Amino acid sequence: MTGDDDSVPDMSGVTVVNVLRAVADPIRLRIVQTLADGEQHAKCGTHWDFGVHKSTMTHHFRILRLAGLTRTTVTGRTHTIALRRDELNVRFPGLIDALIEDNDR
Amino acid sequence: MTGDDDSVPDMSGVTVVNVLRAVADPIRLRIVQTLADGEQHAKCGTHWDFGVHKSTMTHHFRILRLAGLTRTTVTGRTHTIALRRDELNVRFPGLIDALIEDNDR
């Protein structure tokens, strides 16, 4: 996988260490927590107002996708992102729930 | 905290991102999974036969301790390490359980 498109890894090849690396970042963890509502979110949405440059957000989105956490859907010119929550729950039971429940906020 | 002794951070100051960073490493994750039995483990025990140098293990033990995951107990000349599981369960419900249940192994 080049990572240059919107391809995602098969969940069977996703490791917990790679998932942990991906979410072990304050912004990426907040992205995952936002996506935990189960909805498709536009990549350019105002709810990503994390105080970082758009290119930084693109970088974070890419890391999450390549780690197996998210999936991008392209509809016309709109790119939306969603958490692969059902697949993640099967592969790593309880992990996403635990990440969402964190009480640091 | 200098990290040069066996001090541990107060759990109220431990963040989930720091915990995730600490466990986002294959060896440190395996250490946590080993410690999940709730027992005190000697730092020099044969169950740490992870194929890395002793100084590397010391480094990993230190990172886990400073991240709030473990506590070291010194009894005479024996240093044992244990997971702060009860405290972690209160602060990050479900997180340790999810890390232990990973099915990469």
Side-chain angles (χ1 to χ4, degrees), chain A residues 14-17 20-26 29 33 90-99 101-104, chain B residues 14-17 20-26 29 33 90-99 101-104:
Chain A
V14 172
T15 69
V16 71
V17 168
L20 294 173
R21 280 184 184 143
V23 296
D25 173 276
L29 182 60
Q33 290 168 337
V90 170
R91 180 121 175 85
F92 310 111
L95 182 57
I96 299 298
D97 289 342
L99 295 178
E101 284 204 21
D102 95 79
N103 55 6
D104 287 357
Chain B
V14 172
T15 70
V16 71
V17 168
L20 294 172
R21 281 184 185 145
V23 295
D25 173 277
L29 183 60
Q33 290 168 336
V90 170
R91 180 125 175 82
F92 309 112
L95 181 58
I96 298 298
D97 289 342
L99 295 178
E101 283 203 21
D102 95 80
N103 53 7
D104 288 355

Side-chain angles (χ1 to χ4, degrees), chain A residues 2 10 12 20 40 45 47 56 61 80 82-83 85 96 99 102:
Chain A
T2 65
D10 189 90
S12 64
L20 294 173
Q40 295 278 341
H47 51 277
T56 303
F61 287 142
T80 57
L83 196 63
R85 190 161 181 178
I96 299 298
L99 295 178
D102 95 79

Side-chain angles (χ1 to χ4, degrees), chain A residues 22-84:
Chain A
V23 296
D25 173 276
I27 288 181
R28 290 198 293 273
L29 182 60
R30 282 172 64 196
I31 293 172
V32 169
Q33 290 168 337
T34 300
L35 295 175
D37 63 6
E39 303 294 326
Q40 295 278 341
H41 290 257
K43 282 189 174 175
C44 57
T46 54
H47 51 277
W48 304 124
D49 186 15
F50 290 176
V52 300
H53 195 275
K54 185 172 175 244
S55 65
T56 303
M57 288 303 290
T58 300
H59 165 74
H60 288 313
F61 287 142
R62 182 172 179 276
I63 288 181
L64 289 172
R65 175 173 56 80
L66 293 177
L69 280 151
T70 59
R71 191 182 297 280
T72 300
T73 302
V74 181
T75 309
R77 293 167 68 180
T78 303
H79 290 232
T80 57
I81 186 174
L83 196 63
R84 298 173 66 182

